[in-house]
Amino acid sequence: GKGMLNPLHPPQMATINETAKLTGLAKYYIRQLALNNKIKHVRAGKKILINIMQSLKWVLKQTQRNFIKSLKK
């Protein structure tokens, strides 16, 4: 690791692998979201770095939507 990380403040940017672990999304799906500009990201050479907080918010929004849809059935 790179020094001590405060668990309450995750690093803003993470690799696709790290984002997958944190969000529970599939790596290819995260890559698609980034490539389609659905989530904020930056390119560092060949690596894509994902904005973690924004990804988590996106996941929560989707989950909420799906939950509401399932209630309406």
Side-chain angles (χ1 to χ4, degrees):
K2 301 183 192 97
M4 292 291 290
L5 283 179
N6 182 337
L8 294 176
H9 298 285
Q12 281 304 135
M13 306 307 279
T15 63
I16 286 182
N17 283 355
E18 292 164 340
T19 306
K21 274 189 199 139
L22 284 163
T23 58
L25 296 173
K27 286 181 227 170
Y28 78 89
Y29 187 57
I30 294 165
R31 195 174 288 117
Q32 288 301 311
L33 291 176
L35 294 174
N36 294 314
N37 290 316
K38 297 261 192 243
I39 53 176
K40 288 192 187 110
H41 65 286
V42 290
R43 281 172 181 271
K46 290 204 165 168
K47 265 192 182 159
I48 296 176
L49 294 175
I50 309 289
N51 181 313
I52 287 285
M53 293 317 284
Q54 211 235 341
S55 304
L56 288 171
K57 279 184 193 149
W58 191 88
V59 171
L60 286 170
K61 209 185 284 173
Q62 297 306 310
T63 309
Q64 217 173 8
R65 240 184 237 157
N66 293 339
F67 181 65
I68 289 166
K69 262 187 210 153
S70 71
L71 290 178
K72 286 182 177 166
K73 277 176 189 166

